Amino acid sequence: MTVAEGCRAARLPRARWRTRWAWRWDVFGRGRATLDALEHLVGGIGTGVLALAALLTVIVTALACLVGVGLPLMPAALRGLRAVANRERARLSRWHPDEIIAAPPPPPGLRAALADPPVRRELAWAVVHASIGILVGVLALTFPVHAVQDATFALWWWVLPAGDATAATYGMWEVSDLPSALAVAVLAPIEIALTLLLAPRMSRLQAWSGLRLLRPGPGVDLSLRVAQLTATRAAVLDAHLAELRRIERSLHDGTQSRLVAVDALIADALRALESDTASDTAGDTAIAMTSIERAQTTAEQALAELRGVVRSILPPVLTDKSLADALTGLAAACPVPCVVDAGPPVRAAASVEATAYFVVAEALANVARHSRARYAVVSVRHRDDRLCLRVVDDGRGGADESGPGLTGIRRRVEAHDGSFLLNSPDGGPTILNVTLPGPLQRSSRELDAAMAGPPRTPG
């Protein structure tokens, strides 16, 4: 089979797989997003009620300060507001990719607390979230509530007064008998569609004030970033030490032992040849030839093991060819049918390409071992000086991020200050997105064309 025929054969199952999963991704993905948004909206209403209570407490305490009674109570009121804001920070951190760290208690003095920028931002957040946040949440929840009400309206409409029963149809027709009550159920799919369309957007609108006003200042972000980089550096050093120990073990237990055996076999052959020369017998010559043949076989095995160790350090195909060629080799060796979808031939830094290679190698190994997938797709794209990897399989899903394979991938990515995102619901599909920053380079052909300059016109 030629390369072109192999590519066409690989594209056919991928096309069937994408067609089969497209409907499921759209419907079930939208359904999960809507349920998450409804849960988010309910939690936002809860923190909105707490924010309203904390805001009223601050207002009443401020009014009491006019007569000199509320001055001792104002720090306690601000601490209560800080506790409510920290609760909202924790809620948003569970839903948003970026963690919003909790703020420390406000300064003890009233003047210092009012001059604290987080306190002023929390007061602004409480005003917005206690009004607009609650309103948005209540409006968004009316759609699923009305959908359930209209779907079951025929079961209990007769207990309502005539005017209230007609109000369920938004005044479009009068509900006076069972057929007109059953007709109300046609409104339920419309309200469900509005819920699927508006709930995720309204949940983001409700969270906007918290994401905008409750984030820490730039100084806190910098200290958090320093702590994160320190932890990442320690993890990278540990991984580097473990890799050195693995290489040392491979060389000591495999290659070194075989080379010692080669040395011993060659020594036996030399002794047999010396004995043959002294005694002129043919038996020692046969023993020497056998020892030399065994030494040659052992040396070849040691050389193969040594090449395997070298390839595990840095694959030579990355230097000789390109990242797309290296990933194509990984896909060809994968037990699960795999297709590599690579963009234009743009080269990145050697360390970035090596990390991308080992990330895809570990991801495909996990697909082969655990996913029970039938197909896998590896996509490579370069966007804004960033290398973007995407590995998708149609397996059973439920991948555990705490496993050693995915933990190793995360550490490799974090060492380059990249991003790691895994989406693996039960039943699949599993989608791994990795982004690696780094200066990108043009391909060797483009570099040669640039060095050659513009084409010359004849004459």
Side-chain angles (χ1 to χ4, degrees):
M1 180 184 292
T2 64
V3 176
E5 292 173 349
C7 293
R8 286 195 296 270
R11 289 193 189 100
L12 290 176
R14 180 177 67 168
R16 290 195 297 268
W17 173 64
R18 284 183 173 177
T19 303
R20 181 169 62 89
W21 283 99
W23 180 85
R24 178 176 176 180
W25 281 355
D26 292 340
V27 175
F28 287 92
R30 175 69 68 172
R32 283 196 300 266
T34 302
L35 292 177
D36 291 342
L38 293 176
E39 184 180 355
H40 195 183
L41 288 164
V42 172
I45 293 176
T47 55
V49 173
L50 293 177
L52 179 60
L55 184 62
L56 292 177
T57 302
V58 172
I59 293 174
V60 171
T61 306
L63 293 176
C65 290
L66 298 177
V67 294
V69 178
L71 289 175
L73 301 178
M74 183 57 75
L78 294 178
R79 285 196 297 270
L81 178 62
R82 176 62 55 87
V84 174
N86 283 338
R87 192 176 188 88
E88 177 70 1
R89 290 184 177 100
R91 185 183 74 89
L92 294 177
S93 297
R94 292 194 297 268
W95 297 93
H96 201 262
D98 298 332
E99 181 181 4
I100 304 177
I101 61 175
L110 177 59
R111 180 174 297 179
L114 293 177
D116 190 24
V119 171
R120 295 198 296 267
R121 290 198 298 268
E122 287 167 357
L123 286 171
W125 165 79
V127 172
V128 176
H129 193 60
S131 56
I132 299 177
I134 295 178
L135 179 62
V136 169
V138 171
L139 288 177
L141 292 178
T142 56
F143 295 110
V145 170
H146 277 289
V148 175
Q149 172 185 311
D150 293 343
T152 61
F153 187 74
L155 301 176
W156 48 270
W157 70 275
W158 49 272
V159 301
L160 298 176
D164 294 342
T166 304
T169 65
Y170 303 99
M172 291 185 290
W173 66 85
E174 183 180 356
V175 179
S176 57
D177 52 11
L178 183 59
S180 60
L182 289 173
V184 178
V186 301
L187 300 175
I190 300 175
E191 291 158 343
I192 292 175
L194 290 175
T195 302
L196 294 173
L197 178 65
L198 298 178
R201 292 172 172 83
M202 298 185 79
S203 67
R204 290 193 293 269
L205 178 61
Q206 185 191 58
W208 176 84
S209 60
L211 296 174
R212 183 68 180 267
L213 297 173
L214 297 183
R215 290 184 180 277
V220 179
D221 282 342
L222 181 60
S223 62
L224 179 64
R225 183 63 178 154
V226 170
Q228 181 182 4
L229 290 176
T230 302
T232 303
R233 179 177 177 273
V236 170
L237 291 177
D238 291 341
H240 179 65
L241 180 59
E243 187 70 11
L244 290 179
R245 287 176 177 171
R246 183 192 66 81
I247 295 173
E248 187 271 336
R249 245 186 344 261
S250 298
L251 294 176
H252 180 273
D253 298 340
T255 308
Q256 179 178 331
S257 61
R258 293 189 184 279
L259 292 178
V260 170
V262 169
D263 181 66
L265 290 171
I266 293 177
D268 292 341
L270 289 176
R271 284 194 296 270
L273 289 176
E274 292 176 356
S275 176
D276 181 36
T277 303
S279 59
D280 292 333
T281 59
D284 292 334
T285 303
I287 294 175
M289 292 299 298
T290 302
S291 299
I292 292 175
E293 290 175 356
R294 291 175 58 191
Q296 182 182 11
T297 302
T298 307
E300 291 175 353
Q301 294 174 352
L303 183 59
E305 291 180 356
L306 187 59
R307 286 173 177 169
V309 173
V310 171
R311 289 193 186 97
S312 66
I313 300 174
L314 183 63
V317 68
L318 288 176
T319 304
D320 301 337
K321 296 183 180 180
S322 65
L323 177 61
D325 296 326
L327 298 184
T328 302
L330 287 177
C334 181
V336 177
C338 181
V339 176
V340 176
D341 180 16
V346 180
R347 298 305 300 264
S351 58
V352 173
E353 290 191 346
T355 300
Y357 177 86
F358 288 118
V359 164
V360 175
E362 185 62 36
L364 293 181
N366 288 337
V367 170
R369 285 196 298 262
H370 308 298
S371 70
R372 298 179 184 174
R374 292 186 294 176
Y375 305 105
V377 179
V378 178
S379 301
V380 185
R381 292 291 183 271
H382 296 89
R383 300 188 184 96
D384 300 331
D385 286 346
R386 301 180 75 86
L387 179 63
C388 303
L389 301 173
R390 183 182 179 94
V391 182
V392 183
D393 69 79
D394 66 337
R396 59 181 180 178
D400 185 10
E401 291 193 35
S402 61
L406 292 175
T407 301
I409 292 177
R410 182 185 293 276
R411 287 180 177 177
R412 286 182 183 273
V413 172
E414 289 178 348
H416 285 275
D417 198 17
S419 63
F420 172 93
L421 181 61
L422 178 67
N423 183 16
S424 181
D426 291 334
T430 298
I431 304 174
L432 173 64
N433 288 298
V434 170
T435 303
L436 296 170
L440 302 180
Q441 305 169 359
R442 290 181 292 178
S443 64
S444 59
R445 183 178 301 176
E446 293 175 339
L447 291 176
D448 293 341
M451 293 178 63
R456 298 180 180 179
T457 57

